[in-house]
Amino acid sequence: MKFEVRIFAGMADTMGNRDSISIELDDASIVTSRLLRETIEEVYPEIAPLAARSRVVVNETYVADDHVLGSSDRLALIPPVSGG
């Protein structure tokens, strides 16, 4: 399955102000939000430290690591934020 994942803040900056990245995962495996994030860390090592601390959002809802993804899901990786 191929996924488009929206990225924000430091991840987008690091990726040359891109607003999304593409990830392709084996169709035979069950694709969870954890697998998605871990694959992003491997494929895009330049954003791995921030991706590791980010939350996966599916169809505008934060999900747990064991959430199973579908091919039509709208995905985003949201980095931690700090207030001031």
Side-chain angles (χ1 to χ4, degrees):
M1 274 189 274
K2 187 172 183 176
F3 297 96
E4 284 293 315
V5 182
R6 299 232 350 149
I7 56 174
F8 302 91
M11 285 185 286
D13 292 343
T14 299
M15 298 300 293
N17 293 320
R18 291 172 51 187
D19 63 354
S20 67
I21 54 176
S22 296
I23 293 291
E24 192 157 348
L25 297 167
D26 183 6
D27 289 339
S29 64
I30 295 175
V31 179
T32 63
S33 54
R34 174 183 288 130
L35 177 60
L36 176 77
R37 193 177 56 250
E38 289 172 351
T39 303
I40 289 170
E41 292 172 36
E42 291 174 17
V43 174
Y44 298 101
E46 59 271 42
I47 61 170
L50 193 50
R53 298 187 331 262
S54 297
R55 297 278 312 270
V56 176
V57 172
V58 178
N59 301 324
E60 301 180 15
T61 302
Y62 287 96
V63 297
D65 282 346
D66 61 352
H67 182 87
V68 177
L69 304 177
S71 60
S72 64
D73 286 338
R74 292 185 333 256
L75 305 173
L77 198 57
I78 307 294
V81 296
S82 62

